[in-house]
């Protein structure tokens, strides 16, 4: 199911304005977190797909029944990592994940018929509205990096689940770290 991105952005803006952006922990810096995410600069956050619908739970693509090549199941290949993790209250891709995003961008640019969904997620802290917006900003950061490396807009879809689909249950930093992510889901 595809969401109308424009409508979603307008609706989220209205909700954030109406709610006064009052929530906890992850909230304070959303406006600031959108700065510095230019794909041509360093300091990006990285991640993998642990516990996701697209991965095997270890940060690697499962490969079973997949239409993707063997490079996606080779743990030494950056394409096997399909989750980009983020710091608290940040949509900036960590430097350690720049090579992962770049590898996926190269693959997509050389396979123009391939399509991915970039699913943004947040931990449970903060309001639902804030976490949806933060998840979207995280996915858009990855999208911008990929687009700057030759991936077409038609190959990418951005979706935000906020805190609604945690990879790990728990109410501590170890769980929250795993839930602050963008999943790169090949279709």
């Amino acid at each position: 199911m595809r969401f109308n991105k424009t409508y979603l952005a307008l609706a989220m803006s209205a909700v954030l304005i109406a709610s006064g952006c009052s929530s906890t922990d992850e909230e304070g810096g959303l406006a600031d977190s959108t700065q510095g995410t230019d794909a041509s600069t360093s300091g990006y956050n990285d991640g993998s797909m642990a516990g996701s619908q697209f991965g095997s739970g270890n940060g690697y693509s499962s490969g079973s029944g997949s239409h993707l090549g063997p490079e996606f199941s080779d743990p030494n290949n950056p394409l096997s990592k399909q989750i980009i993790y983020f710091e608290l209250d940040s949509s900036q891709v960590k430097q350690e994940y720049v090579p992962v995003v770049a590898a996926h961008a190269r693959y997509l640019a050389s396979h123009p018929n391939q399509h991915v969904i970039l699913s943004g997620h947040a931990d449970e802290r903060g309001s639902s509205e804030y976490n949806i917006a933060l998840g979207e900003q995280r996915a858009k950061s990855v999208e911008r990096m990929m687009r700057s490396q030759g991936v077409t807009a038609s190959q990418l879809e951005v979706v935000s689940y906020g805190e609604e689909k945690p990879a790990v249950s728990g109410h501590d930093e170890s769980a929250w770290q795993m839930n602050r992510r963008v999943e790169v889901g090949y279709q």
Side-chain angles (χ1 to χ4, degrees):
M1 178 166 127
R2 291 181 180 233
F3 293 99
N4 181 323
K5 294 176 191 174
T6 305
Y7 177 76
L8 181 60
L10 290 173
M12 287 190 322
S13 295
V15 169
L16 287 174
I17 290 169
S19 69
C21 295
S22 60
S23 186
T24 60
D25 293 345
E26 276 200 9
E27 287 187 72
L30 182 60
D32 295 334
S33 69
T34 60
Q35 297 177 4
T37 57
D38 176 22
S40 64
T41 62
S42 63
Y44 289 94
N45 291 337
D46 189 8
S48 62
M49 305 247 318
S52 76
Q53 62 187 348
F54 303 110
S56 63
N58 62 359
Y60 300 101
S61 175
S62 63
S64 61
S66 176
H67 61 284
L68 300 173
E71 62 271 30
F72 285 86
S73 58
D74 176 1
N76 296 316
N77 191 314
L79 288 173
S80 67
K81 295 181 180 176
Q82 294 179 305
I83 297 179
I84 293 97
Y85 292 102
F86 292 80
E87 293 296 329
L88 174 67
D89 195 30
S90 176
S91 63
Q92 188 175 31
V93 175
K94 292 180 185 179
Q95 186 64 39
E96 67 188 273
Y97 291 101
V98 170
V100 173
V101 175
H104 287 286
R106 281 190 304 274
Y107 179 84
L108 288 166
S110 66
H111 295 84
N113 293 326
Q114 188 66 56
H115 179 262
V116 297
I117 296 176
L118 301 172
S119 304
H121 300 268
D123 66 37
E124 66 185 347
R125 298 172 291 177
S127 69
S128 294
E129 296 84 5
Y130 178 81
N131 288 334
I132 287 287
L134 182 57
E136 181 178 19
Q137 287 301 316
R138 288 172 173 166
K140 285 184 174 185
S141 291
V142 174
E143 177 189 39
R144 280 190 296 276
M145 288 181 71
M146 289 182 170
R147 294 284 315 276
S148 74
Q149 297 176 48
V151 179
T152 64
S154 64
Q155 291 178 274
L156 303 170
E157 181 178 347
V158 169
V159 176
S160 178
Y161 293 105
E163 64 191 76
E164 298 305 315
K165 293 189 175 191
V168 177
S169 297
H171 308 290
D172 59 11
E173 187 56 38
S174 64
W176 294 330
Q177 286 177 341
M178 300 301 290
N179 292 329
R180 298 188 302 253
R181 70 199 191 279
V182 168
E183 299 180 357
V184 180
Y186 284 82
Q187 299 300 295

